[in-house]
Amino acid sequence: MKSRSKSRKQTRPFDLRAFFAGPRKWFVLVPSIVLLIGAGWWGYRSFTVLPPPDFKQADPRQLADYLGDSRGLVRLSVDQRERYLADSWQYYSKASPEQQRALVRSLNSMTPAQQRTFSNATAGIAKKHVLEHAERYNRLRSEAERARYVDNFIRDFNNLRRELSGNGTIAPGMEVLNPLNAAAPKKPEDVQAAIVNNTSPGERAKAEPFINDVVKRNQTKIAEARNAR
């Protein structure tokens, strides 16, 4: 009888409620609750995508915060990012000087982390267009056609940069490139690392002839302008 009773005690199922009874339950539960809250907050921050603010209703600070938020612009598709930025710039290009200055101040007050996030979002747009231009360039057969294509690309790029720098004719004084310039890699090795990290070997191989020609032609134009002075 004793051995049978002893056997019952040994095979008694584990009682989870008894384990969590008394002070011991808080010792076990509190760290678990903290861990779950932390995991939930990380999941919310990591997987929640913020809806784009209506730039016609939002103030410039809200717009700048959205552009620099890791759950904001950078989470949209490349085409959606480009459309949102183009529409926002178009709207502010026709806004009052006070609104334009408020936008510039808001963009210039971005934190370094916001600048990097905004830069990453726009890098995807730049990559898309460079690859599209490289594909068209690679289809051209004559040197004259390629030279014309590169010249047109450089002209359009400089015009765009002039407008976004506030030195154009559409929105004079509305400089919106400062956050991107601040986040841009400065050293050659950093530029190389950024290219490698954001492109595949196949993309780099496709773009290399076009990029090399653009760089070479741009350097020639700069030298010509310097000698003409």
Side-chain angles (χ1 to χ4, degrees), residues 133 136-137 140 145-153 210:
H133 279 290
R136 297 189 198 108
Y137 173 89
L140 301 174
E145 286 179 312
R146 289 191 167 192
R148 252 191 325 270
Y149 191 88
V150 168
D151 282 345
N152 290 338
F153 173 82
F210 172 64

Side-chain angles (χ1 to χ4, degrees), residues 62-136:
Q62 289 174 304
L63 178 60
D65 286 343
Y66 174 75
L67 300 180
D69 197 304
S70 59
R71 299 166 296 149
L73 181 74
V74 73
R75 292 296 186 90
L76 301 181
S77 70
V78 171
D79 289 340
Q80 288 173 322
R81 292 179 219 170
E82 184 174 14
R83 183 75 265 153
Y84 185 78
L85 287 175
D87 289 346
S88 300
W89 189 86
Q90 198 73 27
Y91 171 77
Y92 273 97
S93 70
K94 299 173 183 176
S96 68
E98 291 77 13
Q99 287 177 299
Q100 292 180 354
R101 286 193 291 269
L103 175 65
V104 172
R105 284 195 302 270
S106 297
L107 293 174
N108 290 345
S109 64
M110 277 181 161
T111 66
Q114 288 177 318
Q115 291 171 346
R116 286 191 297 271
T117 300
F118 185 31
S119 178
N120 290 338
T122 57
I125 300 171
K127 171 184 167 181
K128 169 195 154 186
H129 285 288
V130 166
L131 291 175
E132 287 174 348
H133 279 290
E135 192 171 343
R136 297 189 198 108

Side-chain angles (χ1 to χ4, degrees), residues 86 88-97 100 159-175:
S88 300
W89 189 86
Q90 198 73 27
Y91 171 77
Y92 273 97
S93 70
K94 299 173 183 176
S96 68
Q100 292 180 354
N159 287 341
L160 175 63
R161 184 172 59 180
R162 194 177 301 113
E163 292 293 346
L164 297 180
S165 298
N167 297 317
T169 58
I170 298 176
M174 196 171 77
E175 159 69 276

Side-chain angles (χ1 to χ4, degrees), residues 3-61:
S3 61
R4 193 175 301 170
S5 174
K6 185 176 180 182
S7 175
R8 283 198 195 100
K9 288 181 180 178
Q10 289 175 341
T11 59
R12 187 171 61 182
F14 176 71
D15 189 345
L16 188 65
R17 288 172 297 179
F19 181 77
F20 283 126
R24 184 165 43 186
K25 72 177 180 182
W26 299 111
F27 178 77
V28 174
L29 284 178
V30 169
S32 301
I33 292 170
V34 171
L35 181 62
L36 286 172
I37 291 174
W41 176 246
W42 176 84
Y44 171 78
R45 293 288 303 180
S46 299
F47 300 112
T48 300
V49 179
L50 297 177
D54 183 352
F55 46 81
K56 297 178 182 178
Q57 304 294 331
D59 64 51
R61 181 67 258 174

